[in-house]
Each structure stands twice: as structure tokens, then as C-alpha cells.
Amino acid sequence: MNQVTTTLYERLGRREGITRITADLMKNHLANPLVNARYMNSEDLARVERRAVEFFCAGTGGPESYSGKDMVATHKGMNINEQEFMTVIDDAMDALQKNGIDEAVRNEVLAILWSMRREVLRV
Ligand code: HEM
């Protein structure tokens, strides 16, 4: 039996696709009144976006390595609530759809993001 396997990294369009998706994700956050103040408070949004690209590449099977802090350390002290968590996930789903990622793959990403909630919520 022929079995074709691809990594999630490949299904998201490798580094190029992930870079475009992350740029849209950041645009969505900045336009989203439920979370935009959080991001506008960042000292260096370009760095955050770069690190987010690395994080998604490394976490989906790409060769890149992530040079940022872990999720608990990154979000520590922000006291992020459930509504903010949900809306950030919505922003991500929207960015994926905008970049032509089909529903099955969007659901894979959804499950991964959801699994990280304890590292991000109210830490
Ligand atoms: C599963 C969900 C999430 C993931 C995977 C995630 C991932 C990340 C990553 C990779 C960074 C960059 C870290 C760095 O620069 O070293 C970051 C930064 C940040 N995240 Fe999240 N995040 C999530 C949810 C949230 C939520 C719900 C909020 C609240 C609205 C949030 C607010 C922020 C902010 C404000 C920064 C910038 C911090 C800074 O300026 O250093 N994140 N996040």
C-alpha cells in the first residue's frame, strides 16, 4: 500500500506559507478590539511576529528552531482570560482560511492551539 505522509509544516505551505499566515494573524490581532491593546503594549512587535513564525515552523515539523521563551514564560503575568484565548484562536482560524488552508488542516491547528491553553491562560 502506498502511504503518502506530509508534515503539518508542509500542509501549511512551509516557511513561506507560515510567514504569510502569521502576518495575517498579527493584522487580525491588531484589528481585534478584544486583544489589540495587549499587542500594542509590546515593546517589539516585529520580534514577536518573527518568533511566532519560528514557533509555528518548529512546532509543525519544520527545520527551523524557536529562539523565544516557552509559552508559560512568554505569557506569565498577563493574566489572559478565556475570552481572549478564544478570540486569539478565532483570529488564527481566520488567517488560515484567508490563506487557503482547508478545514481539515485548520482543525489540526485548532486542536494544537487548544492543547496549549494551560500554558497561556491565567499564568
Ligand atoms: C495557544 C495560544 C497562543 C500561542 C501559541 C502563543 C504564542 C506566542 C508566541 C510564540 C509569542 C512570541 C514570544 C516571544 O517573542 O518570545 C507570543 C507573544 C505574545 N502573546 Fe501569545 N500565544 C498564544 C495566546 C495568546 C493570547 C490568548 C494572548 C492574549 C491576548 C497572547 C498575547 C501575547 C502577547 C501580548 C505577546 C507579546 C509579548 C511580548 O511583547 O514579549 N497570546 N505568543
Side-chain angles (χ1 to χ4, degrees), residues 8-63:
L8 182 55
Y9 176 77
E10 289 169 297
R11 294 196 291 285
L12 294 172
R14 313 179 77 102
R15 191 195 188 95
E16 236 182 78
I18 290 172
T19 300
R20 280 197 306 268
I21 292 163
T22 306
D24 282 329
L25 173 63
M26 199 52 90
K27 253 189 243 162
N28 287 346
H29 287 343
L30 292 175
N32 183 341
L34 293 172
V35 289
N36 57 5
R38 295 279 198 183
Y39 294 92
M40 288 191 273
N41 279 339
S42 172
E43 280 167 19
D44 187 353
L45 265 191
R47 184 212 70 218
V48 173
E49 188 171 328
R50 244 183 359 257
R51 294 257 168 85
V53 170
E54 287 173 6
F55 184 83
F56 296 132
C57 286
T60 55

Side-chain angles (χ1 to χ4, degrees), residues 23-118:
D24 282 329
L25 173 63
M26 199 52 90
K27 253 189 243 162
N28 287 346
H29 287 343
L30 292 175
N32 183 341
L34 293 172
V35 289
N36 57 5
R38 295 279 198 183
Y39 294 92
M40 288 191 273
N41 279 339
S42 172
E43 280 167 19
D44 187 353
L45 265 191
R47 184 212 70 218
V48 173
E49 188 171 328
R50 244 183 359 257
R51 294 257 168 85
V53 170
E54 287 173 6
F55 184 83
F56 296 132
C57 286
T60 55
E64 290 79 3
S65 49
Y66 174 58
S67 63
K69 293 185 274 187
D70 67 42
M71 289 300 95
V72 173
T74 296
H75 301 95
K76 194 153 208 106
M78 291 190 202
N79 196 23
I80 291 168
N81 68 32
E82 286 77 1
Q83 185 186 41
E84 291 176 300
F85 185 73
M86 298 298 278
T87 204
V88 157
I89 289 186
D90 281 338
D91 284 350
M93 294 301 111
D94 178 272
L96 290 167
Q97 188 159 21
K98 202 165 172 184
N99 284 276
I101 304 300
D102 68 34
E103 191 182 3
V105 176
R106 293 202 300 273
N107 284 339
E108 284 183 64
V109 176
L110 175 62
I112 294 168
L113 293 176
W114 178 255
S115 76
M116 288 189 271
R117 69 196 180 283
R118 291 201 177 82

